[in-house]
């Protein structure tokens, strides 16, 4: 592999520094995303300018002009790419600017996913026209606060009915890159827990089945559909229920103005975490339940009840007032 010899000091241009940084990255997805940010930033600053001649405020000004009116996530992503680039240059002793302190990372916005009340969820699951399969899936999504794909991927062999838990394959934070440049998702095994509602429904749904997918279709797949052995029940020949099928079934029972206007499967996870936050669950417990890796991602659910706030306020009372 050829070694890129970089000039030092003022001879290092903005474009050369950006290309060298991108060449140091191994993840093709990161290269593509960072390339967008650095390409536009370098073009705005002047690709042929010496990197050492660029001021900190020019970096901040470029970010503000290019993405100041963009969505919060876009701003944070582009800012993070430029921050990584300037930090990489500084670590290698190249004279250059830094992202100014005033170009701050913005807090993530509140989710626009609707929060369904516990009563609305209970009523939907209790409806007589809802099949046992959907009742169990929706109750399990709500009580585990797991992602839909994780629950649909669970097999009976992994269920711990007595312990009310099961391992799920959760996508890791960082993808792994193979030698040939292709990206493979890094999955990790994590445990989800459910409560009495799911515990009552699961045995009825399984009907003595001991292996294969927990949630299956009502019809066998056609002869032209190729499925892995893990995605077919060996006893009944029924296939694993897909995310698209599960989403359509939920929409069918909740749509109020035509197809596509009903609930979304993610609303069970979002509602469950929100209800836990409203009941005073701590941020650490919410992170343990949701398996989020960053605390800012669970702060939207941290909504203690009025009673919990009263109890905390009582700690500030004079000593004799609490006797």
């Amino acid at each position: 592999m050829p070694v890129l010899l970089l000039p030092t000091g003022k001879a290092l241009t903005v474009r050369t520094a950006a290309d060298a940084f991108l060449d140091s990255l191994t993840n093709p997805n990161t290269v593509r995303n960072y390339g967008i940010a650095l390409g536009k930033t370098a073009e705005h600053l002047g690709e042929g300018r010496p990197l050492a001649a660029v001021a900190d405020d020019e970096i901040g000004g470029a970010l503000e002009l290019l993405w100041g009116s963009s969505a919060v996530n876009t701003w944070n992503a582009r800012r993070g790419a430029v921050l990584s680039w300037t930090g990489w240059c500084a670590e290698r002793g190249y004279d250059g600017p830094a992202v100014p302190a005033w170009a701050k990372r913005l807090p993530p916005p509140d989710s626009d996913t609707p929060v369904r009340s516990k009563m609305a969820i209970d009523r939907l699951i209790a409806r007589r026209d809802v099949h046992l399969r959907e009742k169990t899936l929706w109750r399990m999504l709500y009580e585990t606060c797991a992602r839909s794909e994780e629950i649909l991927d669970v097999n009976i062999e992994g269920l711990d009915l007595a312990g009310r838990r099961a391992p799920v394959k959760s996508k890791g934070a960082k993808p792994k890159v193979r030698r040939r440049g292709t990206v493979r998702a890094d999955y990790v095994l994590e445990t989800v827990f459910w409560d009495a509602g799911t515990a009552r429904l699961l045995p009825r749904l399984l009907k003595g089945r001991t292996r294969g997918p927990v949630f299956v279709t009502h019809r066998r797949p056609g002869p032209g559909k190729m499925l892995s052995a893990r995605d077919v029940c060996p006893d009944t020949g029924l296939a694993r229920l897909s995310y698209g099928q599960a989403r359509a079934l939920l929409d069918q029972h909740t749509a109020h103005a035509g197809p596509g206007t009903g609930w979304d499967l993610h609303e069970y996870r979002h509602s469950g975490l929100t209800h836990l936050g409203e009941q005073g669950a701590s941020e650490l417990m919410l992170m343990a339940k949701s398996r989020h890796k960053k605390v800012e991602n669970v702060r939207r659910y941290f909504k203690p009840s009025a009673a919990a706030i009263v109890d905390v306020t009582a700690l500030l009372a004079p000593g004799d007032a609490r006797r």
Side-chain angles (χ1 to χ4, degrees):
M1 185 174 180
V3 178
L4 179 62
L5 298 177
L6 294 177
T8 58
K10 293 185 178 181
L12 184 64
T13 66
V14 172
R15 183 74 260 178
T16 303
D19 289 342
F21 170 66
L22 293 174
D23 288 341
S24 71
L25 303 175
T26 58
N27 187 329
N29 290 332
T30 304
V31 173
R32 182 178 64 255
N33 293 328
Y34 278 25
I36 296 173
L38 299 189
K40 292 185 176 181
T41 302
E43 183 179 354
H44 177 80
L45 296 173
E47 297 180 341
R49 288 182 63 190
L51 183 66
V54 180
D56 293 358
D57 283 345
E58 288 187 84
I59 290 288
L63 289 170
E64 183 66 29
L65 179 65
L66 293 170
W67 299 291
S69 59
S70 301
V72 171
N73 290 337
T74 301
W75 163 267
N76 288 338
R78 302 298 185 241
R79 175 190 175 277
V82 174
L83 183 66
S84 297
W85 170 49
T86 57
W88 182 88
C89 292
E91 289 176 357
R92 283 150 184 78
Y94 304 134
D95 296 335
V99 175
W102 57 264
K104 297 180 179 180
R105 186 181 189 278
L106 299 177
D110 291 336
S111 173
D112 57 359
T113 302
V115 176
R116 305 297 176 179
S117 69
K118 191 174 185 300
M119 180 179 295
I121 293 173
D122 291 343
R123 285 180 175 177
L124 177 61
I125 295 175
R127 280 169 47 177
R128 292 187 176 183
D129 61 326
V130 175
H131 192 274
L132 177 61
R133 178 188 60 189
E134 282 76 76
K135 291 177 184 284
T136 309
L137 174 61
W138 300 342
R139 178 61 67 184
M140 197 170 186
L141 288 174
Y142 177 69
E143 291 186 355
T144 61
C145 297
R147 300 173 180 87
S148 306
E149 296 89 342
E150 295 171 342
I151 296 300
L152 291 170
D153 190 62
V154 171
N155 273 24
I156 300 173
E157 299 92 320
L159 296 176
D160 180 358
L161 296 177
R164 297 180 179 180
R165 66 188 70 185
V168 295
K169 286 197 303 183
S170 179
K171 187 178 294 186
K174 295 181 179 179
K176 292 184 177 179
V177 182
R178 294 175 178 172
R179 292 183 178 179
R180 295 182 180 179
T182 57
V183 179
R184 177 178 62 85
D186 182 17
Y187 289 95
V188 295
L189 278 179
E190 298 180 310
T191 303
V192 297
F193 300 81
W194 57 82
D195 201 54
T198 303
R200 286 193 297 266
L201 294 171
L202 266 177
R204 294 170 52 196
L205 176 69
L206 299 180
K207 294 181 180 179
R209 290 192 297 127
T210 59
R211 51 184 181 164
V214 174
F215 299 99
V216 294
T217 57
H218 291 163
R219 297 179 181 178
R220 294 188 178 187
K225 191 170 184 179
M226 302 298 296
L227 297 172
S228 67
R230 187 179 182 278
D231 293 327
V232 179
C233 174
D235 299 324
T236 64
L238 300 176
R240 184 185 305 278
L241 187 70
S242 69
Y243 176 85
Q245 292 168 327
R247 181 176 58 182
L249 287 166
L250 177 59
D251 183 70
Q252 174 186 330
H253 288 287
T254 57
H256 54 84
T261 61
W263 296 13
D264 187 80
L265 290 170
H266 180 66
E267 294 175 23
Y268 284 106
R269 171 176 168 86
H270 187 75
S271 299
L273 292 173
T274 300
H275 295 163
L276 290 174
E278 290 173 344
Q279 293 300 315
S282 67
E283 289 185 351
L284 290 178
M285 288 305 298
L286 286 176
M287 288 185 69
K289 182 66 174 176
S290 67
R291 293 166 290 118
H292 279 113
K293 302 301 185 291
K294 297 181 179 179
V295 68
E296 57 263 29
N297 292 334
V298 300
R299 281 179 179 158
R300 69 187 65 171
Y301 307 113
F302 188 58
K303 302 174 182 177
S305 64
I309 296 177
V310 169
D311 291 341
V312 170
T313 305
L315 299 176
L316 302 176
D320 57 351
R322 289 183 278 119
R323 292 177 183 173

